[in-house]
Structures are given as C-alpha cells and as structure tokens.
Amino acid sequence: MSLDNEKETKPVRDSYLPYGKQWIDDKDIQAVVDVLKGNYLTTGPAVNKFEELFASYVGVKYAVSFSNGTAALHGACFVAGIGAGDEVITTPMTFAASANCVLYQKAIPVFADICEQTYNLDPVKVKELVNEKTKAIIPVDFTGQPAKLDEINKIAKDHNLIVIEDAAHAVGATYKGKKVGTVSDMTMFSLHPVKHITTGEGGMITTNNKEYYEKLLQFRSHGITRDEDKLLRNDGPWYYEMQFLGYNYRMTDIQAALGFSQLEKLDKFVGLRRKYVSLYNEAFSKLEQIKTPYQAPEGNSSWHLYIIRLNLEKLIGSRKEVFEALQNENIGVNVHYIPVYYQPYYHQLGYEKGLCPKAEELYEEIISLPLFPKMSEEDVNDVIEAVKKVLSLYSK
Ligand SMILES: *Cc1c(COP(=O)(O)O)cnc(C)c1O
C-alpha cells in the first residue's frame, strides 16, 4: 500500500465523536448530592426553585416541570381541552412525541408540510388544513430555529385555536427579540441529555395563563388537588380530591437540582453552539455539494442541531453512502428526522407517503453533524475535515 492510500483509508479521528452529549460539572454534581442529603427527594423545594428560575429565565409567569418533555406535551394537550375527534396540526419533520401527545388524547394529528428554507411548519399549509374540527396547532422550533410564530398564532387567533409550541430544540432562542417560551399559549421544553440543558429526563411547560398553570399542576399529579378553594367538600386536614384522571408525571428534586444548576450555564452553552455553527458555516459556505442551514432574520436560533442538506446532483454517492463514509471517519452523524407518519404505527392508522412532499424530499437529503458545547474546536475541525474528505471522494 502506498503512503497516499494509507492516508486516505485512515479515519480523520481515532476516537468516535458523538452527535450530542451533556456537560455535567462538579457544581451540578454537588447540587444533586445536596438534595440526596436533604429531606425531600421529590416535589420539594428544588422543584419549586427550578420552576421559578426557569420561568424568570424565559420571562413568563409560570413554568411547570414534568418527568419528561413528552409528558409535558401530553399535559399541554390535556389542559388545552384536546379530546376525541379533535384535529391538531403539526409538522412531520419532528420527533414522534410532537404528534403522539395528540394520540394520547384520542385526537387526530394532521401533518402540514414544511417551508423550503427553514424546514419549519409552513403557515400557508397550516391555514389550508384548518377546519371546524381543528382544536390546536403544535409548531416545532426545528433545530432551535423558531417557527413562523406570529403567522401561526394569527391563524390560531382567527380560528379560536390553541398553540402548543414544541421548543424541545429551542431553549435560549429568540423570536423577534422575544425569548422562545413567551410567544405561544404554552411552550414545551425537553431536558433530555442531548438537549441544551438536562435533568437526565425532564420537561417543562411555560405559560402566562393561570388556568392552564393550575390544571397542569393537577394533571401531573393524578388529577389530585388539596387546594381548599377547589375542593367540592372538605372532610378535614387530611382531605384531598382527585377531580379528573391525571398521571404521575412529576419531576424529582434530584432532577430539579441538576436542572437549576445547569440553567446557570445555559447562555454559555448556547454561545458555544453558536460559535461552532459559525465555524461550520464558514468552512462549508463554498462547497456546492451541500446546503448549510438557512436562518430566517426574525429569529436567533439556539442551535440544537446542525443539519447539512446534500445536493445529490453534485454527488456520485447516495445519502446512505455519504452517511456511512462519515461514520467510518468516526464522526457521529445522525438523521433528524424520519417523517413521523412514515412510522409503521402511523401507517397502520392510515397515514400514507406523499402527504408532505417537501418534508419527504428533505428526509432523503439530510445529515446532522455533531454539535454540543462540550466539543472542542479541534473536534469541530475534525468534522469539517471529514466532511470535506468524504464530499471530495463522492463528488461528480
Ligand atoms: C426531545 C424531543 C421531544 C421529547 O422530549 P423528551 O424529553 O425526550 O420526552 C419532543 N419533541 C422534540 C422535537 C424533541 O426533540
């Protein structure tokens, strides 16, 4: 083997670089240990503190924590009054949970296609799908870029719909100068380890609506209340009432301690993500084989994901070949997302291919590159080198 060949077959990296990873420091660990040594392991002072700090970070009246983001979405659908036969419009370019929460309430997810540039829900398509059965819209701030929230909220207002924003990707992002979490009726955040900040598993709903807030608290705790003003009768100090069928979706104090400690680092984490994105954008701007992510001027993304879109006309390899070649360079690539209605369960419910052509076309051409605050600039440069190497191998 010639030296040249050896260089070509040797991977850019010796060790595997994941696409996302949490960043836990000693202060985080200490915050959790403090809870373990204290009196409350669940729904105690740490949960209250985390919720208050989260609400004040976002700039809303209320934040309600949940055991995970999916449970939080379920809660939002419940308090929005979504029920059997109702239709809820969402995007197929998301994780299944954005639509599953509608099914939990025996309602019908309706998929609207995405915008060509931002990959977010297209308000024009949303409007076409609104009818008398429509109850809510669930826009997703895909990759951390806010959806067209003003347009979507306007449609909702005109038709008396509720907007539940899935901002699992977008904590720390802004839309027209406003923090994501303040714009829609309710906004959901996820605290899964691949997201910006983590509680292991966890979720949050932010809202300015007191009625939603109180109902969310009750929903995450079996539908039980001890609030004297809400009780139908009162047998004594031990008395509580289960007034509707809720769930046990509470966050523990152990998780919440990790959460408020992580929250202190959120702006730093977002800053590092933005910095790495600008390095990627600069390095890839002149490559005609790929399209870098478009950013609409009204938003400032918090960059959960960095997605390149292949220009397959300029390549001899398929997306699968390029993807596998990047894996062979030890780069932890991924695909976000398989359109939700491609899933066998959705197919079984009657959803067919062809529903959202733009999302389907996008799915064939995308690759997510590693992006997380704990990666180093050398890691970023490895990704850039690997992408350039693979693209030049597969170029026409
Ligand atoms: C992560 C994620 C969720 C679900 O959050 P969990 O905390 O994992 O339950 C929902 N929607 C989107 C878009 C996500 O990325």
Side-chain angles (χ1 to χ4, degrees), residues 68-70 94-95 97-98 140 166 168-169 188 190 192 195 202 337:
N68 58 70
T70 305
T94 185
F95 182 59
S98 314
V140 176
D166 179 338
H169 298 182
M188 183 283 290
S190 167
H192 182 279
K195 307 288 163 60
Y337 287 98

Side-chain angles (χ1 to χ4, degrees), residues 18 50 54 118 164 242 285-286:
F50 183 36
F54 199 96
T118 62
I164 301 167
M242 181 195 138
S285 64
K286 291 196 180 69

Side-chain angles (χ1 to χ4, degrees), residues 182-203:
T182 61
V183 182
S184 302
D185 296 306
M186 285 178 271
T187 304
M188 183 283 290
F189 297 96
S190 167
L191 302 157
H192 182 279
V194 298
K195 307 288 163 60
H196 292 73
I197 56 168
T198 190
T199 54
E201 294 276 0

